[in-house]
Amino acid sequence: MNNQSHQNIRAVCAQAIFNVLEEGQSLSATLTTLNHKIADKDKALVQEICFGVMRVLPELNFYIHTLMSKVLTGKNRILHDLLLVGIYQILYTRIPAHAAVGETVNAVNTLKKTQLKGVVNGVLREFLRRQTSLQQQFTQDSKQQNQQTLHPSWLLTRLKQAYPKQWQAIVNANNQKPPMWLRVNLNQYSVSEYQQLLTKDGIESETFADIPSAIRLITPVNVAKLPDFAKGTVTVQDLSAQYAAYLLAPQNGEHILDMCAAPGGKTTHILEVASKAQVLAVDIEPSRVKRIHENLTRLNLHAEVKVGDGLTPERWCEGQQFDRILLDAPCSATGVIRRHPDIKWLRRDSDIAQLTELQYAILTKIWAYLKTGGTLVYATCSILPDENKLQIERFLQENTSAKLQGELKQFLPTENGGDGFFYAVLKKLEWQHIFKQKN
């Protein structure tokens, strides 16, 4: 029975990778749909393998293409993805090599490709024989220099242009496993009190001076192990994402819109800061809106939640005006690659222009629903200037009622710090101010 479940793990991993690389599905979404095929005890390993393969994909592909004279295509393409799974285990997990090979070869049966069992076995055993020389070849081959960054060339080009001195540090941070940051519900515990609970349970952590609610775990743990997690004392939320609620500065009694709100991390943070604010959380994806409800329920918080499109607020807004708006705009997600390494292979260079037009259109539409004197925080989890700095500069030029408050904030991913995030705080001027500016 154990063998059967283990054999299926590699097949499930290959199927997930196939769904991402061949079908264009996101890794998180495909793992959710395949969840029922994975025993609870195996979920962490499936995650480790699938996310790991996405992180180092060019390296694994290099080995397979070097070892095979003919690439597996068409109906047999899933066996290429199974080889990725096998080689990843040999290189990056503690699974003994013979077990990794054996279990991966067994998965060929589950995938109903028994006639090609010998091919998979042969490639993996040849990789074991030549592992050291292949790794040296990958490191030394000048043609592989782009591949060694483990990033697609279009993205590298953009990063080098935008950050000539920092692009290597960004790439390096993107290739690490992400740190685990927590947001303490300060209505229940202070950060130091919650840290004591963690220490008592043998969980090491550190705090961050700039954000009063943030704690980083030295070693990530399953949320079930976090003290009082089910009681809403703490939420898993990246450090950079925690800036959103503080920059928005919500006040009790205000009407606040959280646009593109799923899965609800920022919605719940707004309510933790101002529990008597009247918050409307809106997202276009019905399945993700469900997550907003789940997060509100766990934290025992209340907000109005709607399915709605930022391009057509008139359909769900009912003429309401807001004191504050958080617009977490749909973006390339290039700031959270270490959390979602499949982004590197799902995004295309041409997506960026489409995204910037969408962001600008939503920002323009939503701006009309902000009260005079109100505050809008524009946020993305991108590090590309087109979606961030240039977007806001254009908006300020074309909208005389908008004024930038403070400086633009562009966070870059750092190894033990936050993800890549961008924030701009915009104030809506009264018409008298606009008139004065014009004259």
Side-chain angles (χ1 to χ4, degrees), residues 201-257:
D201 287 358
I203 300 170
E204 279 187 87
S205 65
E206 65 177 21
T207 56
F208 182 74
D210 287 11
I211 293 283
S213 52
I215 291 182
R216 182 178 75 85
L217 301 188
I218 305 302
T219 306
V221 299
N222 188 299
V223 291
K225 292 189 175 160
L226 295 172
D228 292 343
F229 179 78
K231 293 180 185 170
T233 56
V234 72
T235 296
V236 177
Q237 187 180 39
D238 179 71
L239 175 69
S240 298
Q242 293 187 42
Y243 278 89
Y246 294 116
L247 290 169
L248 189 68
Q251 305 297 313
N252 285 326
E254 289 183 332
H255 286 84
I256 296 171
L257 170 64

Side-chain angles (χ1 to χ4, degrees), residues 16-27 30 54 342 346:
I17 291 159
F18 179 88
N19 292 352
V20 173
L21 299 178
E22 308 303 321
E23 309 283 332
Q25 294 178 28
S26 89
L27 182 54
T30 195
M54 291 300 156
D342 49 317
L346 291 173

